[in-house]
Amino acid sequence: MSVQHGGNVWDAAARYGGDPDDYLDFSANINPLGPPDSVWPTLQAALGEITRYPDPESARLCQAASRHFDVPSSHVVAGNGAAELIAALPRLPQVGRVVLVQPTFSQYEQAARRAGREVVTIPGRPERGFAIEPSAVLERIRAGDMLFVCRPNNPTGSYLPAPSFLDLVRAVCERGAWPVVDESFLGFVAGGVSGVRLLREGYPLILLVSLTKLYALAGLRLGLALLPREWARALVNELVPWRVNALAEAVGEVCLNEKPFVLRTQQVVRRAREALIRSLQATPGIRPLSGAANFLLLDIRETGWRSPQLREALARRRILVRDAATFPLLGEGYIRVAVRTDTENERLVNALGELVDP
């Protein structure tokens, strides 16, 4: 199963010409501020470690995550990006079916099918912005299921409020199923409530945290799973040793202490997202779906463009967006764009305006 992802500036340069650095990449949902300043001296100091194998268990990083999330370090597993952890979870022997509310991150279904698991799809309703509906989930869930919940959801940006989210997770656990809550984009949400409180209370949920997006570490690859101790041991058995390189581990430890950077990111992204939404709403035929993440799903059906053609037209202008046709239910009527800096967002809006309203 081939899955398209964003962020491939090298392919764009090969197809449309120029240098990869010429492209403005709205297809990957990375912090527009770039990494925290502390990353650069940390990388420099850690360079001497590349002559040795890294710690196979990433103990220092897991201890830093233990302090950050207030869970025992035995409940933390580090991976080469959250994607590596997602790929391994459906292989755990405890798992029966895998339940997905679509559209959502394509890697969940790919991992489930590679593990030979039955996939149960719950379609989101377009009139509700494809948002997760707890009642629809609870109608389908049963003991032994693994439910993936992306919060905020990729690609829609929808965000189930804390009371409903916590109640849903409790109810799923009480039915003997296992929720996997992907919080890769939660760090962009001001006041976002994590499911880690339920893990501390003893509920058997699994939290996924990507340091790639929030701290702009896409080239280093780093993700964490927070889960019950017995699940953590089982997950490690499905992973290769030395999966987190020494540079990524050192940077991860530093980033988990970057609270002021996270608060600043939340403020910048929220303001930029709101301004981008207003500009896009003024662009004929484009309807941005409301969301809480650092990206927006755009309904382009009234523009007369199909998503593959619009993506290509923008790429020829050195602007990359995510064609959402590869997400279930969306078809060729949607594209996804990251929230970047005001200047970069203005360039995107101007290009879209020139194409849809020439």
Side-chain angles (χ1 to χ4, degrees), residues 29-326:
N29 305 321
I30 306 300
N31 192 330
L33 299 181
D37 291 341
S38 59
V39 164
W40 309 114
T42 301
L43 283 172
Q44 184 66 38
L47 285 176
E49 297 294 320
I50 67 172
T51 60
R52 294 193 290 263
Y53 281 102
D55 176 359
E57 302 304 327
S58 305
R60 290 186 306 173
L61 176 60
C62 291
Q63 289 163 5
S66 169
R67 294 188 294 270
H68 181 83
F69 294 102
D70 191 23
V71 297
S73 59
S74 59
H75 288 51
V76 183
V77 177
N80 182 31
E84 181 183 43
L85 303 170
I86 291 167
L89 284 170
R91 299 200 299 263
L92 297 179
Q94 302 97 317
V95 178
R97 308 182 305 173
V98 171
V99 181
L100 305 173
V101 179
Q102 296 283 17
T104 194
F105 185 42
S106 54
Q107 202 73 33
Y108 308 145
E109 181 174 358
Q110 183 183 39
R113 296 198 183 282
R114 282 181 171 171
R117 305 304 184 193
E118 177 186 353
V119 176
V120 177
T121 296
I122 302 172
R125 292 191 285 171
E127 63 271 22
R128 291 177 57 90
F130 303 101
I132 189 170
E133 297 180 64
S135 59
V137 172
L138 295 177
E139 285 176 2
R140 303 291 300 277
I141 208 78
R142 70 189 190 197
D145 287 348
M146 175 171 277
L147 168 71
F148 279 88
V149 176
C150 190
R151 186 170 176 269
N153 185 49
N154 178 16
T156 64
S158 61
Y159 179 73
L160 190 63
S164 298
F165 160 68
L166 296 172
D167 288 345
L168 173 62
V169 171
R170 292 187 186 102
V172 169
C173 290
E174 289 164 359
R175 295 184 183 208
W178 296 288
V180 178
V181 182
D182 188 343
E183 298 186 346
S184 292
F185 299 103
L186 186 64
F188 293 98
V189 181
V193 175
S194 171
V196 71
R197 64 172 64 179
L198 299 181
L199 183 62
R200 297 190 202 110
E201 294 171 9
Y203 285 93
L205 74 153
I206 299 164
L207 296 179
L208 295 173
V209 180
S210 169
L211 280 70
T212 294
K213 285 84 173 176
L214 183 59
Y215 301 106
L217 305 176
L220 280 181
R221 311 295 304 137
L222 190 58
L224 301 171
L226 311 178
L227 63 174
R229 183 180 290 105
E230 61 275 16
W231 280 80
R233 288 195 291 262
L235 178 57
V236 167
N237 289 337
E238 296 293 335
L239 299 169
V240 298
W242 310 301
R243 56 194 172 273
V244 177
N245 68 72
L247 301 182
E249 181 173 11
V251 167
E253 290 181 68
V254 169
C255 286
L256 288 173
N257 291 317
E258 284 282 358
K259 185 174 181 179
F261 173 82
V262 173
L263 294 176
R264 178 172 171 243
T265 293
Q266 293 169 352
Q267 295 168 354
V268 168
V269 168
R270 179 176 181 176
R271 180 188 53 75
R273 182 179 64 243
E274 292 173 352
L276 179 57
I277 288 174
R278 290 193 297 270
S279 297
L280 289 168
Q281 288 172 333
T283 305
I286 292 182
R287 184 174 70 88
L289 275 66
S290 61
N294 61 319
F295 54 85
L296 295 169
L297 185 66
L298 308 185
D299 184 341
I300 62 169
R301 290 176 293 176
E302 294 183 6
T303 66
W305 285 81
R306 293 187 299 159
S307 58
Q309 285 70 42
L310 184 57
R311 180 200 60 78
E312 182 168 356
L314 287 167
R316 294 187 182 282
R317 293 170 179 243
R318 304 295 193 264
I319 297 174
L320 304 183
V321 300
R322 179 73 153 84
D323 178 3
T326 56

Side-chain angles (χ1 to χ4, degrees), residues 26 276 279 341-351:
F26 283 85
L276 179 57
S279 297
T341 67
D342 290 339
T343 300
E344 292 167 334
N345 293 341
E346 183 179 2
R347 181 176 161 189
L348 170 69
V349 171
N350 290 339

